Amino acid sequence: TMGLQRLHPAAPTVENAYLGTVERGPMLRQVRGNGILVPEEIRSVTAYHPGRVEEMPVKVGAAVQADTILIKLSNPELDQAAFDAEWTVRGAEAQFTNLLVTLENQKLSQQSAAATALANYNRAKLDAEVNEVLAKDGLIPVLTLRQSKSNAMELKRLCEIENERLKIVADSATAQLSVQEAQIRQVRAQLELKRRQVDSLRVRAGIDGVLQKLGEQAQLQIGQQVGAGAFLA
């Protein structure tokens, strides 16, 4: 009896034991318990702009991706604003093209005027040089020589003025084109904003997950009008 009391308990037996090599790695542990499953993250989707519900392609309970369209809204005012902004951009681009042609014509006209002034100056300069030679030989009066030199000096000054005008025309063209380009960038930015507003009418999930609810109090209905900031999903 004393010997039996000193014996250790026998090891429990295992039926259908699986023998194998122990490896390091993840181990799945399943635990049963009472409770309610809740999502780790909840994303509330609201309307950026007011609109009318036109379509709800995804049903409650469906798995969605971040770019999945949940609801399609319509807003005629936003559509019209985007349409007007697009035509404003086209008008600004047409004005830029017209201005470019006009400035190029002005540049060509001024270049022609400068070339004409230079040709007149060269002829007057040549006449003055010829008259100077003739005056030394006493073939023409001194007054004629003075007049030819004066004419050459006047045409030289006119040539310089035309060249200055040509430079001013080029600088003015650059400034006007810069202003027009700035206006085009501005209206293009407005168009991009309007397009984003129209695109926001296609309400997307924003994250990967499962759609739990459509509408705050009751299920959204086709044709229902929602306001800006209204809870959608």
Side-chain angles (χ1 to χ4, degrees):
T1 302
M2 293 297 292
L4 292 176
Q5 290 178 349
R6 294 178 179 178
L7 292 177
H8 296 286
T13 60
V14 179
E15 297 180 0
N16 300 326
Y18 175 78
L19 301 179
T21 303
V22 177
E23 297 179 355
R24 180 182 298 274
M27 181 180 67
L28 178 63
R29 178 171 179 264
Q30 297 181 350
V31 178
R32 296 183 179 182
N34 297 327
I36 300 176
L37 290 178
V38 295
E40 296 180 352
E41 180 181 357
I42 297 179
R43 171 69 62 89
S44 297
V45 181
T46 57
Y48 288 102
H49 301 281
R52 180 177 179 271
V53 178
E54 297 291 343
E55 186 178 350
M56 293 183 292
V58 181
K59 302 300 182 182
V60 174
V64 298
Q65 304 296 323
D67 58 348
T68 301
I69 298 177
L70 305 180
I71 305 169
K72 293 182 180 179
L73 303 176
S74 64
N75 188 321
E77 294 181 357
L78 289 181
D79 293 336
Q80 184 63 42
F83 179 80
D84 294 341
E86 183 175 357
W87 280 101
T88 301
V89 171
R90 293 184 180 182
E93 292 174 347
Q95 290 180 1
F96 179 80
T97 302
N98 184 46
L99 177 62
L100 191 63
V101 173
T102 301
L103 294 176
E104 187 64 23
N105 289 333
Q106 292 179 359
K107 180 181 177 181
L108 293 175
S109 299
Q110 188 57 39
Q111 286 178 343
S112 177
T116 301
L118 179 60
N120 293 334
Y121 166 66
N122 289 332
R123 283 195 297 267
K125 181 181 178 182
L126 182 60
D127 291 341
E129 292 174 353
V130 172
N131 290 337
E132 186 174 3
V133 174
L134 296 176
K136 288 180 180 180
D137 296 335
L139 299 177
I140 61 172
V142 178
L143 181 59
T144 303
L145 176 60
R146 291 179 179 176
Q147 289 177 347
S148 61
K149 287 184 176 181
S150 176
N151 186 36
M153 293 178 61
E154 181 179 355
L155 291 177
K156 179 182 179 180
R157 179 55 183 165
L158 180 61
C159 182
E160 294 174 351
I161 293 175
E162 294 297 337
N163 288 329
E164 288 293 330
R165 288 179 178 175
L166 180 60
K167 182 180 179 181
I168 293 174
V169 166
D171 294 341
S172 176
T174 301
Q176 294 183 58
L177 291 176
S178 298
V179 172
Q180 190 65 29
E181 288 175 348
Q183 293 178 354
I184 290 178
R185 288 194 297 268
Q186 180 181 5
V187 295
R188 282 178 178 173
Q190 293 175 353
L191 173 61
E192 185 63 25
L193 174 62
K194 297 301 180 183
R195 285 176 175 174
R196 288 198 301 267
Q197 291 176 348
V198 172
D199 185 67
S200 67
L201 296 176
R202 303 165 69 89
V203 182
R204 292 175 169 81
I207 60 173
D208 299 345
V210 177
L211 179 61
Q212 292 184 332
K213 190 178 181 182
L214 285 172
E216 185 172 10
Q217 301 297 334
Q219 173 77 17
L220 286 177
Q221 302 296 326
I222 301 297
Q224 180 178 344
Q225 190 73 25
V226 296
F231 178 87
L232 298 179

